[in-house]
Amino acid sequence: MNKIKILLVEDEKKIAESLSQGLTEQQYQVDIAYDGLTGRDLFNNDLYDIAILDINLPALNGYELCRHIRSINEKILIIMLTAMSAMDDKLRGFNIGADDYLVKPFDFKELLARIGALLKRLQKQEHGGSVLKVADLIMNLETRQVIRGSENIPLTVKEFQLLEYFIRNKNRVLSRSDIAVDVWNIDFDTKTNVIDVYVNFLRKKVDKKYPSKLIHTYVGMGYVLKENA
């Protein structure tokens, strides 16, 4: 089995070398870049399974690099590293395609746990069937294509992950806390309406034009995806 290949882009040399050593000891193959442009060049010239990106990078910041990587590879797992802990900063990373977000300082064991969880989720997708279906909606996990009826529905990375989560938990009422932890990997913050915003984004794309609605609100409880109201 080929080693998981990681692109690590971190401008603090001691942190980068420490993380690289730890990941290598865990049998990952790691390439390091100390600035965003070098990271972009490495990515453009090789195939990686995971990208771990600091945000405050010289030359090209982590947000811009994340956007570039995601525009080319929809399947690569992206973890953002930053000292910025504000919810808006986290959401910005998720909005441009990050899969997870770690705030510095963090324990190396936590990074390993996040990598393991993302790889497990990816493995579940690959071995659990590449096509999910509910009513007249078809979701292809390999091509990242979503079709309802005869119409192709373009989704952002996070919308795609949210829809997959709904389908895999069909007929189960999902609380905002469930969704925050399982889709965003963050603790639910009652001060933010990000879950409701994204559910509404998804509804506009997969439900609005169709007489039969799939995503339903249970007031005070959360959301459920089911074929009939």
Side-chain angles (χ1 to χ4, degrees), residues 87 90-96 98-102 114 118 121 156-163 165-166 175-188 192-199 201-202:
M87 181 62 69
K90 292 182 179 181
L91 295 179
R92 182 180 176 188
F94 288 128
N95 288 343
I96 60 176
D99 293 286
D100 208 345
Y101 201 108
L102 269 178
R114 299 294 184 92
L118 290 175
R121 187 177 74 189
T156 66
V157 171
K158 223 60 197 175
E159 289 167 352
F160 190 92
Q161 291 173 356
L162 180 58
L163 179 59
Y165 181 66
F166 273 133
S175 70
R176 290 169 178 80
S177 179
D178 291 332
I179 297 169
V181 171
D182 293 337
V183 180
W184 270 266
N185 291 321
I186 58 174
D187 293 328
F188 179 59
T192 180
N193 64 344
V194 62
I195 306 300
D196 305 293
V197 168
Y198 266 85
V199 171
F201 286 162
L202 200 56

Side-chain angles (χ1 to χ4, degrees), residues 70-148:
R70 184 58 76 202
S71 70
I72 295 173
N73 187 332
E74 292 187 346
K75 293 185 178 181
I76 188 172
L77 302 172
I78 302 176
I79 300 174
M80 308 292 286
L81 306 179
T82 184
M84 299 183 292
S85 60
M87 181 62 69
D88 287 346
D89 296 316
K90 292 182 179 181
L91 295 179
R92 182 180 176 188
F94 288 128
N95 288 343
I96 60 176
D99 293 286
D100 208 345
Y101 201 108
L102 269 178
V103 177
K104 297 177 180 177
F106 56 86
D107 191 297
F108 179 68
K109 290 181 180 178
E110 184 177 3
L111 175 60
L112 289 180
R114 299 294 184 92
I115 291 172
L118 290 175
L119 289 173
K120 185 176 180 181
R121 187 177 74 189
L122 185 62
Q123 186 178 38
K124 184 183 291 186
Q125 291 175 355
E126 292 174 346
H127 292 85
S130 61
V131 177
L132 302 178
K133 188 176 185 300
V134 56
D136 58 344
L137 185 142
I138 298 173
M139 185 176 203
N140 190 310
L141 302 178
E142 289 186 1
T143 64
R144 315 293 288 186
Q145 186 178 34
V146 175
I147 297 173
R148 185 157 190 194

Side-chain angles (χ1 to χ4, degrees), residues 137 144-148 151-155 205-206 210:
L137 185 142
R144 315 293 288 186
Q145 186 178 34
V146 175
I147 297 173
R148 185 157 190 194
E151 182 180 2
N152 184 61
I153 301 174
L155 299 178
K205 292 184 177 182
V206 304
Y210 305 91

